[in-house]
Structures are given as C-alpha cells and as structure tokens.
Amino acid sequence: MAESVVIGAGATGIATAGQLADSGRQVRLITRSGSGPDHPGIERIALDAGRTDELAEALAGAATVFNAAMTAYHTWPQTMPPLFASILAATERAGADYVMLGNHYGYQQTTEPITERTPMAPHTRKGRVRAELWRLAKSAHDEGRLRVTEVRAGQYLGPGAVSPFTLLVAPRVREGELAFVHGNPDAAHSFSYTEDVATALVAVSGDERAWGRAWHAPVITTTPRQVAMDLAELHGAPEPRLEPLTERDLALLSFTDPVWREFAEMGYMAERPFLVDDSDIRDTFGLKPSTLREALAV
C-alpha cells in the first residue's frame, strides 16, 4: 500500500510524486485519466476524486494525502468546492494527514508584502473560493478530525507549468516574436518554481511544526521582463519585445478559450508590484528558492 498519495498530475503534482518516490517512498498518484510519470515507485490510478467512497478506498492505509488537484480555471466557483470537500472527507475517513496546494488569491488586496498572517479577505470570485477551501480544511484540523497544512504558491515557472507567463510570454520569447504580458512587465512579482513548491509540500508533510497553518513556498521575486530576458538568453533568442495585454486583447482571446476571461479579475496582482514574504518557510525548514536561471533551464 502506498505510503503517500498525490491527487492531481499537473506540473507540481508530478514533481511532488517524483520527489517522494525518489526518496524511497511508495506513492500512489490519482488522476481522472491515470496519467503521470513512469516511475517504479509511483502507482498510477485512474479515479475521479469527486467520488468520495471510491477515493476513500484508494486512500486506505496512506499516511499522507497531497491535494494538488485543479479544475478548469473558469469553473472554480462551481467545481472546486465539491471536489475539495470530497478529498477532505475521504482523507478524514482514511485517517491520513492532509497537505493542500494553494495559492495567494485568498488574501486581501494590499500594497505590502503578503505574509501568512495577511487577512484572508479576498475581493475576487476565485479568491473567495480559495479562502473558503482553506477555511473548511482548517476547521477540520481545529476540530481534531485530521491534521491539515497548506503550501501556497505564486505564478508558476518550470517544466509543464501553466501560468500567464508560460502561456502568453514564454513561447513567443523563445521564437523571437513580440510577446504580450498580462499586467506591467516591469512590476516586481513573486514567481514559484514547480520543483521548489514540491520540495515545500514534501518538507511540511514530515514536520510536526507544519500542521494547522499555511506556508508560503519559496518565491523568486523579479519582473516579467527579467524572466523574459533570462529565458531569451538561455534559448539564444533575441532581446524580448514585450507589450502589456489590453482589455481588448483579453476580450478577443476569450472568444477562443474562456480561461482568458478569468484573467481580468486577477489583474491587480499583475498591474503593480505583488510581493510575497516566504521567510516563515525559510526560517522554519531551511528552504530557499532556486535561482531564476535554474527555474528556466529545464
């Protein structure tokens, strides 16, 4: 029986399963399709995590459950709460510890660096979803039903990462084409490298100090322009040409994919500096972020 179960095979879920398996742990990776890496320490299971009874059976005997699941971005208010409620209930039944992968959407808007103590008072729909998912999990922890922690990550970089930068900017920079940036390309932003986030998830899962609170994964703070410049240099591409994405551009893109329509409400995180304080996880667990070049080199 798997010692650790990872739900979700996005870039961070795959990285987490890989790090756990590389450390010698037996891992079960659960996705709808049964996808995931071919690794002798990873058992891939095709299962809809929204089916609580079936999921609880799949989790039986596990010590730790890592929830890295994600629904379609434009459906979060409808699809994330029932999915996460199912995963929480199944983990509780299994008697396992519960490690959630979250993000920074749930905090109130502020011009100060975000810490884990910044109030969870979001003004966006997706922010309210994230805040509520954490509230329900934390309540279960406080009631003694299971042990819970959450690692919160920012805009992703790394192999397989899905973010405004990887979708909009990176492909065009590599090809030497004009790239449109969501927000201000010169505003400082806190990025997360998928492997760093996976390292944080694994670290908190094995430490008694982690439970009952959230942690910020290590971040790489820089500007989208600097990320683009380093990416271009690594790929031998010309100096990047960047322009901010306009509301009209987003409107046109939304005709091709509804995900683009969702970017508008999160614009406050991209139009001005958005800084995240990761000192808690640095000081407590000794974790540090990779360099920007390391995050882009893979």
Side-chain angles (χ1 to χ4, degrees), residues 99-103 149-153 197 200-201 204 215-217 281:
V99 182
M100 294 172 61
L101 171 61
N103 64 15
T149 187
E150 180 173 70
V151 171
R152 295 174 182 158
V197 180
L201 288 164
V204 302
W215 303 86
H216 289 163
I281 206 162

Side-chain angles (χ1 to χ4, degrees), residues 10-12 105 154-175 177-182 189 191-195 220 223-225 227-228 231 235 242 245 253 259-260 263 292 295-298:
T12 305
Y105 287 10
Q155 183 174 175
Y156 283 108
L157 299 173
V162 177
S163 69
F165 185 89
T166 64
L167 292 174
L168 284 170
V169 183
R172 290 184 174 272
V173 167
R174 287 193 292 263
E175 295 300 321
E177 300 174 352
L178 174 66
F180 292 95
V181 179
H182 182 228
H189 192 85
F191 293 86
S192 295
Y193 174 36
T194 50
E195 290 290 343
I220 303 169
T223 66
R225 188 180 302 280
V227 180
L231 182 65
H235 286 269
L242 307 180
L245 196 67
L253 285 169
V259 71
W260 298 109
F263 278 56
L292 177 57
L296 296 173
V298 181

Side-chain angles (χ1 to χ4, degrees), residues 240-258:
R241 295 175 294 139
L242 307 180
E243 287 188 10
L245 196 67
T246 66
E247 291 184 10
R248 181 176 181 276
D249 294 329
L250 277 176
L252 291 173
L253 285 169
S254 69
F255 284 114
T256 63
D257 189 331

